Amino acid sequence: MRNYLKQIRTILWKDLLVEFRTRERLIAMGAFVVLVAILFNYATDWARVSPEDIASGLVWMTIMFAGLLGVGRTFHLEAEDGAFQGILLSPVPKDAIFIAKALANFVFLYIVALLVVGVFIFFFGLEVGGSFGMLTLVIALGVLAFVALGTLFTAVSTGTRMGDTLLPVLIFPLLAPVVIYGTGATSQFLAGRPVTEAEGSIRMLAAFALTAFFLGSWLFRFVVED
Amino acid sequence: MNRNQILCGLVTGITFLVCTITLFAQETSELPGAQLAAQGLGRPYWHVFIAYAIAIGIVFFWVVSIGRRLSEIEKKIGS
Amino acid sequence: MREYGTVTAVDGIDLSLARGEFLTIFGPNGAGKTSLLALLAGALRPNCGQVWLRGETLDFGEVEWRHRIGVLSHQGFLYGHLSAEENLRFYGQLFGLSDLDDVVNHKLQHLGLQDRAGSLVRDLSHGMKQRLALARALLHDPDIVLLDEPYTGLDPSAAIVLQGVLSDLKDGQRTIVMVTHNLTEGLALATTAAIMNRGRFVWQGKRAEIEGDFGQFYYGVIEGEE
Amino acid sequence: MSTKKILLAGTMLAMIGLVWLGVVYWMSFFWVSTEVTQGIAQRIFYVHVPAAWTSFLAFGLAALFSGMYLWLRDERLDRAAVSAAEGGMVFATIMLTTGPLWGKIAWGTYWTWEPRLTLTLLLWFIFLGYFLVRSSTENPEKGKRHAAVVAIVGALDIPFIHLSVIWFRSLHPAPVVIKPEGPTLPGDMLTTLLMSLGAFTVLFLGLFLLRYSLENLRSELDTRSRHASV
């Protein structure tokens, strides 16, 4: 068990180190988020809708698309010099590889998701108020579910002829619950409702994230096997 | 006559049957027509007809596609 | 046996390897050499057939097996954005090596890389990379070394270094399997040789049995097959 | 059972199913009485509901066979899974096209975010992914494995999707749904519905067997061509 955790930590640390050295993914995702917010500003008639009404939906859709952008690159770096083959040939259980890769994706995507919230607060003057802590929790759970399915299906789509174009077809139908519960809870926070009202959504998000993580770590071995 | 032809024939027959049935039913439905109009439901029979035709049409499509692929492969195996 | 859809890559090969043996497998492209190595490395699941080690069958994906096997391919399995030392430490941790610092330093010294330990792998020359890849493959001191076209892309001086390290490896304790289509380099160290074509061994014999021009013999065997 | 026997059984079942379906069509046009509140439009229900049931059955079978394929690695299980998945796509398409036609009359709009309709639409897309993944790898075996993974994740995701779309509905109330399958379904309507369920199920099973034997023949052909080339 100790060895297992150490292997997860090693791969996770390596991914973070490489990412923070190149900063490719974070810069691309961050720029995407800000640019999307700017375009949203012009795509919406603010005289007729108030930001609070649609902000939760926009926040979640931005997270989804930014996540798609980032998660699709999970294995590109590994593929460079066949390095992923090197990991597969080392005595690391496949589920440990999956957990490490998913956690690395989680770190990147969570940073970007918080940036999304920040951008919307800054550009559209959203009032998050006292429920900011709960909002970050809801986003963390949603992002966790996203990276679990995203990492698994990126491993699937990387090996195909269609590549990243296949990814949204595979994960968006599966992620419907994340969007529904995520937006539901977020709009309740933004409307200033008490936190207890969002409790059901948060529970469902947590259950979904857990299931997705379990599924991913179990099925990953069938995906990476040659 | 081989299996595929029989299957296709059956489906075509049933589709034809459905078409005539619906046309007849359309005729005989003149009587309760006033009642239906009172319910504000428009002309629902056409929707029913289209729905039934779509259902049998999609099944037909699948049957034909399986039949075609089967006969293709049987030809290859036979040769 | 291993099939890829309609293609049988490796078919009915009965291979037993003794300690200290150095087997080189020759064969044209697409003969199934790489697939055979992948089967031995446990990276490929056989459709039928088994791998035995010291009287025990090995299940596919068994983690223990990987501790005993080192794989060197023409791809280095290295991360370009990590330094030479970081790469070795990363793999060392995955293998759960206890005296990591010593092993890494020793390997770097042994292959003459100590001066470049801190430079990123992407900045190293091809020969340096291949040396580092060799260090990576031998890091955990494996009993069985699998070499997949290790000479590909090496300049003559790097090839000489590789040759030297390989002859050090041939210490009578380790089993080495090399796959190549380069006849002279392949034969230089071999104790046993085999010629593979279309997934089968078409010839197999001791090094000493080969007389005269091996090249002529090789083409004779392959053409006799056609 | 040999491929020949399966082929024969499939043909028989498919024929029985088709004739049965013809009887159901006759029943639902002439025999069954018209529902009071919805009028004639309610008759769409006799193809819509059985199609939904059959597609769920088929997708369930596909996921089950996929799971067993990953576990046992028997090629036949994969063939069964792809056959069932194809059937599921066909019947889900029927469900998705007849649903809006009914909805237009019952609810006034073609599409409503009715939970079961939404669920089927998402399922349809999940299995679209199944077929895309299957056919887009160089190594067919890898494609089969990846597709099986898609089917399993899809199947286990369904409860969540179902709950969430229902929850979403309760959040945004839509026009009142007239539930035709209420507890007071008159006897002849129930009979017609049950007959229709039977017809669709038998038809699906027959065509499933035909599709399965098609896959069998295909792999037989592959094996043959492989032996010929060696």
Side-chain angles (χ1 to χ4, degrees), chain D residues 84-150:
Chain D
E86 202 177 290
M89 287 298 269
V90 168
F91 287 102
T93 311
I94 294 179
M95 193 268 196
L96 287 172
T97 45
T98 54
L101 283 168
W102 176 27
K104 180 66 183 164
I105 298 159
W107 307 322
T109 53
Y110 280 109
W111 188 262
T112 55
W113 296 101
E114 203 273 328
R116 275 159 301 181
L117 213 52
T118 317
L119 179 65
T120 314
L121 184 63
L122 288 174
L123 256 179
W124 195 90
F125 274 108
I126 290 171
F127 276 88
L128 175 72
Y130 175 92
F131 284 102
L132 285 178
V133 162
R134 225 183 129 77
S135 58
S136 66
T137 45
E138 304 294 327
N139 175 359
E141 199 189 303
K142 207 167 184 172
K144 289 174 190 170
R145 243 183 299 119
H146 288 183
V149 167
V150 174

Side-chain angles (χ1 to χ4, degrees), chain C residues 3-226:
Chain C
E3 297 170 344
Y4 287 111
T6 58
V7 186
T8 308
V10 177
D11 184 13
I13 288 180
D14 229 342
L15 181 63
S16 54
L17 292 162
R19 237 168 212 277
E21 196 169 331
F22 192 125
L23 168 71
T24 305
I25 302 169
F26 300 97
N29 287 333
K33 300 177 307 248
T34 304
S35 296
L36 178 61
L37 268 202
L39 280 171
L40 289 178
L44 204 58
R45 183 194 291 266
N47 292 97
C48 55
Q50 273 164 334
V51 184
W52 291 71
L53 181 74
R54 306 237 168 95
E56 279 176 68
T57 50
L58 284 162
D59 288 332
F60 173 80
E62 202 165 304
V63 166
E64 284 314 303
W65 183 227
R66 306 186 188 288
H67 280 294
R68 324 234 351 233
I69 283 195
V71 180
L72 177 69
S73 120
H74 47 277
Q75 286 186 308
F77 303 166
L78 299 167
Y79 289 92
H81 291 281
L82 296 183
S83 73
E85 195 188 339
E86 282 165 339
N87 263 297
L88 291 188
R89 293 186 69 91
F90 171 65
Y91 281 104
Q93 274 166 351
L94 290 189
F95 277 93
L97 300 185
S98 47
D99 42 355
L100 196 57
D101 292 329
D102 292 348
V103 175
V104 169
N105 284 335
H106 176 254
K107 280 283 180 261
L108 285 173
Q109 230 145 46
H110 181 62
L111 289 156
L113 288 164
Q114 67 273 37
D115 300 337
R116 306 300 303 269
S119 41
L120 295 187
V121 165
R122 55 191 307 200
D123 301 331
L124 295 180
S125 68
H126 192 82
M128 290 268 199
K129 263 188 215 167
Q130 192 67 356
R131 271 191 253 172
L132 186 63
L134 196 59
R136 188 208 67 82
L138 302 176
L139 199 61
H140 54 291
D141 199 20
D143 291 348
I144 300 158
V145 182
L146 304 175
L147 306 160
D148 186 3
E149 307 276 7
Y151 290 99
T152 306
L154 288 192
D155 57 47
S157 68
I160 289 167
V161 174
L162 181 62
Q163 191 104 339
V165 176
L166 290 184
S167 67
D168 285 349
L169 276 182
K170 210 177 116 186
D171 54 3
Q173 292 303 309
R174 266 180 259 267
T175 308
I176 303 167
V177 180
M178 178 156 82
V179 146
T180 180
H181 47 231
N182 187 320
L183 298 180
T184 39
E185 279 154 348
L187 219 49
L189 293 162
T191 60
T192 331
I195 298 175
M196 194 171 178
N197 196 17
R198 289 182 176 172
R200 293 164 190 276
F201 277 1
V202 289
W203 179 84
Q204 195 175 358
K206 293 263 173 260
R207 170 76 180 85
E209 291 168 27
I210 302 168
E211 287 163 5
D213 189 353
F214 183 65
Q216 228 160 22
F217 176 70
Y218 171 79
Y219 291 116
V221 169
I222 295 290
E223 265 158 36
E225 273 284 296
E226 296 297 318

Side-chain angles (χ1 to χ4, degrees), chain A residues 17 49 91 109 113 119 139 159 219 224-225:
Chain A
L17 190 66
V49 285
L109 191 49
V119 163
I139 288 179
L219 291 170
V224 292
E225 178 189 306

